[in-house]
Amino acid sequence: MKAQDGTHRTKGSPVYPAVARAIGKLGQDISLARRSRRIPAEDFARAMGVSRATLHRLEKGDAGVSLNTLAMALNALGRLDLLTNLLDQTKDDVALMMLRQDVPTRVSKPRAKKNGSKPDDATTGPIVSNDEVEGW
């Protein structure tokens, strides 16, 4: 259902145009993957554990289709790994870039006390920031 502001709605929740386009493309991609594997829609729906009508909704990009239905489609295609690794931290470029920004620009050795003795807790190492050593 399309709301007056141009967004679609599903069970009361808004589906913004960019999200609707992404879900639509995902549905088309699932349909293409199924057809390229020469799997009839009825057999694919049965392998997913859903009705043919639900598969049709998924392939048409209906935002109201459950995440479980998507997961079952990926599983039936042998590509459940795509969902499993969707936001894997080791492949999340944004998170990795943010972590790299938090790395201090320099790390310096702790200074000895004026009386010549070692710092109180030499086992933990210095606390470091981008500005300077803050303490132990």
Side-chain angles (χ1 to χ4, degrees):
M1 170 189 325
K2 198 167 191 173
Q4 289 178 342
D5 63 357
T7 61
H8 293 272
R9 293 188 101 45
T10 177
K11 297 183 183 179
S13 300
V15 180
Y16 298 104
V19 174
R21 284 190 298 275
I23 294 171
K25 182 183 181 310
L26 180 60
Q28 291 171 356
D29 291 347
I30 289 171
S31 176
L32 180 63
R34 174 185 61 79
R35 290 180 288 118
S36 67
R37 287 168 172 76
R38 309 282 196 267
I39 304 171
E42 285 185 27
D43 294 347
F44 192 62
R46 190 176 314 108
M48 290 171 53
V50 300
S51 68
R52 172 66 185 93
T54 300
L55 173 59
H56 181 72
R57 288 177 48 224
L58 175 66
E59 290 182 347
K60 290 296 179 189
D62 183 337
V65 174
S66 75
L67 181 59
N68 182 59
T69 301
L70 170 62
M72 294 304 292
L74 292 172
N75 188 52
L77 291 168
R79 296 306 314 266
L80 189 58
D81 62 302
L82 294 174
L83 184 60
T84 304
N85 296 321
L86 189 60
L87 289 175
D88 185 330
Q89 291 178 347
T90 61
K91 296 175 180 84
D92 187 350
D93 292 335
V94 173
L96 291 172
M97 181 178 62
M98 293 175 75
L99 286 172
R100 281 192 290 271
Q101 288 175 348
D102 287 340
V103 173
T105 53
R106 67 185 185 100
V107 178
S108 57
K109 292 182 180 182
R111 295 181 185 175
K113 292 185 177 181
K114 288 186 178 183
N115 64 7
S117 65
K118 291 186 177 182
D120 292 335
D121 188 1
T123 61
T124 60
I127 297 174
V128 182
S129 73
N130 281 333
D131 301 324
E132 61 184 81
V133 175
E134 295 179 358
W136 287 96

